[in-house]
Each structure stands twice: as C-alpha cells, then as structure tokens.
Amino acid sequence: MNSKSDFSSFVRLNVGGKKLCTHISTLTKRDPNSKLAAMFSTGDHSLCIDEKGYVYIDRDGKSFTYILNWLRDGSVPTLEDSKYSQLLKEAEYFQLEELVSCIHLLQMNKKEKELGTELTRRDIIKYILDKEHYSPEPKFRGVNLSGIDLSGLELTGINFSYACMKNTCFAKANLSNSNFDHIDAEGADFDNSHIADSSFETANLKGANFSYANLGRAFFRMANLQGSTFYKAKLGSSILDGTNLQGANFNYANLGSSQFREADLEGASAVGIEYDEGTIPFSGYVSPYIH
C-alpha cells in the first residue's frame, strides 16, 4: 500500500503505537466533515504508511480506540474526568464535532447526578458559547432544565428532545429551528419568544404560555397543550394535528393557515382570532366546543 489510491475498503492503522483495523467507511461516514474523514476521503492529506501497510497517525492510541468505537456505534464511553479531557482533546484535533458535543453534554449530566445540583443559566450560556466553536447543533437531549431562567437567550438549532423543562422560562428567547420533541415542559413560559420552524412532537406542554410568541411553521403533532395560552401569538402555518388543546386560550391570535386535524379543542377560547384568507379556522378539529 503506497498511496491513497491503493486503499480498499479495509485499512490498518497505527495510532501512537496502538495498532487497529477498520473500514474506510467507519472513519468517514458518521462525521463526513471531520478532519479524520478528510484524511481518508478527499486526498488533501498526505498519509504516512509503513512497510507493512499501516497508516501511522501521531496521536494518542488509547483515546483513538474510544473514538473508533464511537464512529462504529455512536456510544460515548464512561470514563474518569481526566480521561475525558484527553478524549476531548483528540476529538477536537480530528474535528469530530458531534463527539465533542456529546462529551460536553455527558460531563454536564455527570455533574448534575454526582453533585445533586441543577444546571444553572450560567452553565447553559457557557455550554452554548463553547459549542459555537465546535458543533452546529448543540444538544441538551434528556437534560433536566426545570425552573431555569433562560429568557432572552440565543438558543437556535438546539436539540432539547426528551428534556425536563417544567416551569422553565424562555421569555423573549430565540428558539427557532430547535427540537423539543417528547419534552416535559408543563407550565413553561415561552412569552414573546421566537419559535419558528421548531418541533414539539408529543411534548407535554400543559399550561404552557405562548402569548405573543412567533410560532411560524412550528410542529406540535400529538402534543399535550391542555390549558395553554396562545394570546396574540402568531401561528403562521403551524401543525397542531392530534393535539390536546382543551381549555386553550387563542384569543386575538393569528392562526394563519395552521392545521388542527383531529385536535381536541373542547372549552378552548378563540375571541378575535385572525386567519389567512380562504382558510377555515380550526379546520378538522374533533370537538365543537370552542367559545
């Protein structure tokens, strides 16, 4: 093996003296924009290959074993804090943005469990600022953010799926293009926030406040919005199919061309609503008890 053109789908690696074998696709598929993927796909990197055909990489071999396992199945190992620091350094070197993000999130979760403390506004801001250098999609999947004041923050494009956000304050925050699928956000405050193009599929948003919020093209399919408030909110062309909207307040909201197929609107209030010309407000809802 003398050049990149001689590579088959199988490659032998010598990383800091640690010899490993894998497939080219394993190194390139999970994070195709990484430096590691570029080394074995673009031809922009010259590779050091010994007489036995091993590609030599002058980095920490033990950490690369963890990286290789992550590339194979997406699992981040459970390690001591000192070892996470080394793994993080290697992930940053190879520009594996998703792995960097996963390590940061795992450390945050570990802090919460070990110290018995909840994350703070300062923790979230620090994490977001750190992630701007590494990952286009910061992740808070499954994290407990209950009761935290996150008002006014720039929180676009974040994965909050499965997080616990009971009574969390997002007032005046920018949450566009974020993933809130399956969250528990009972009593959360989204007052005057920007949530366009975000997803809340099957989320628990009972009693949540969306007053004055911009919800354009938000996706709420099968969400629990019982008793929630959309006073003077702008829904644009949001999807609320199959939602529980019993007792919800839509007074003076702009529904645009939003869809409510099979939504339960029993006891909902809709005084002074606006909607796009040619559309039927609350078209397709299952309960006739709007007043």
Side-chain angles (χ1 to χ4, degrees):
M1 184 181 295
N2 298 314
S3 68
K4 178 181 178 300
S5 61
D6 294 322
F7 281 127
S8 64
S9 63
F10 186 74
V11 62
R12 290 178 288 182
L13 303 171
N14 181 346
V15 184
K18 180 77 172 180
K19 293 185 177 180
L20 302 158
C21 296
T22 189
H23 291 276
I24 296 290
S25 60
T26 300
L27 301 174
T28 60
K29 187 175 180 179
R30 182 171 292 276
D31 196 341
N33 297 318
S34 68
K35 179 178 179 179
L36 182 62
M39 290 170 63
F40 293 91
S41 61
T42 66
D44 295 336
H45 296 261
S46 58
L47 301 176
C48 178
I49 304 171
D50 65 21
E51 66 279 1
K52 293 184 178 180
Y54 283 87
V55 178
Y56 182 74
I57 302 175
D58 190 18
R59 301 299 300 182
D60 182 62
K62 190 169 185 178
S63 293
F64 194 84
T65 300
Y66 297 133
I67 288 174
L68 190 57
N69 287 335
W70 176 80
L71 290 169
R72 287 168 174 154
D73 58 25
S75 61
V76 181
T78 301
L79 303 172
E80 298 174 1
D81 290 341
S82 58
K83 293 183 180 179
Y84 273 128
S85 298
Q86 183 61 43
L87 179 58
L88 182 61
K89 184 186 298 183
E90 298 302 305
E92 290 172 351
Y93 173 80
F94 289 111
Q95 298 173 10
L96 295 162
E97 295 179 346
E98 184 179 347
L99 178 56
V100 170
S101 181
C102 288
I103 294 171
H104 276 288
L105 181 56
L106 193 150
Q107 289 177 317
M108 290 175 68
N109 284 335
K110 188 176 181 182
K111 171 192 170 183
E112 182 183 353
K113 291 178 181 178
E114 290 182 353
L115 301 181
T117 58
E118 294 183 352
L119 297 175
T120 65
R121 179 184 175 92
R122 180 176 295 181
D123 292 330
I124 304 304
I125 293 173
K126 182 179 183 300
Y127 179 77
I128 295 299
L129 292 176
D130 287 345
K131 298 318 318 125
E132 287 178 356
H133 300 292
Y134 305 117
S135 175
E137 187 192 345
K139 298 176 177 65
F140 288 95
R141 178 184 170 93
V143 172
N144 183 10
L145 300 173
S146 295
I148 301 180
D149 180 6
L150 300 178
S151 60
L153 295 183
E154 185 71 25
L155 299 170
T156 60
I158 296 180
N159 185 353
F160 289 107
S161 61
Y162 295 95
C164 185
M165 298 175 165
K166 291 184 177 180
N167 301 308
T168 300
C169 180
F170 291 102
K172 297 183 180 180
N174 187 354
L175 303 163
S176 60
N177 293 291
S178 290
N179 181 355
F180 294 92
D181 292 347
H182 318 294
I183 63 169
D184 185 356
E186 184 171 341
D189 185 7
F190 296 89
D191 180 79
N192 207 24
S193 60
H194 187 78
I195 320 176
D197 299 299
S198 291
S199 178
F200 293 83
E201 185 168 13
T202 72
N204 177 22
L205 294 158
K206 183 178 181 180
N209 178 24
F210 292 94
S211 296
Y212 298 96
N214 182 350
L215 298 160
R217 298 174 302 280
F219 188 77
F220 288 95
R221 191 177 72 87
M222 301 300 294
N224 179 11
L225 289 155
Q226 184 178 7
S228 55
T229 299
F230 294 88
Y231 179 78
K232 289 193 175 182
K234 296 179 180 179
L235 278 71
S237 53
S238 295
I239 304 297
L240 295 99
D241 296 347
T243 53
N244 178 359
L245 287 162
Q246 293 179 0
N249 179 359
F250 286 94
N251 291 346
Y252 303 101
N254 189 330
L255 305 182
S257 56
S258 296
Q259 297 180 14
F260 293 83
R261 295 188 182 94
E262 298 186 356
D264 187 348
L265 285 149
E266 182 175 357
S269 176
V271 175
I273 59 172
E274 299 179 23
Y275 46 91
D276 289 352
E277 184 178 356
T279 64
I280 302 174
F282 302 113
S283 177
Y285 67 89
V286 296
S287 174
Y289 299 107
I290 296 179
H291 55 269

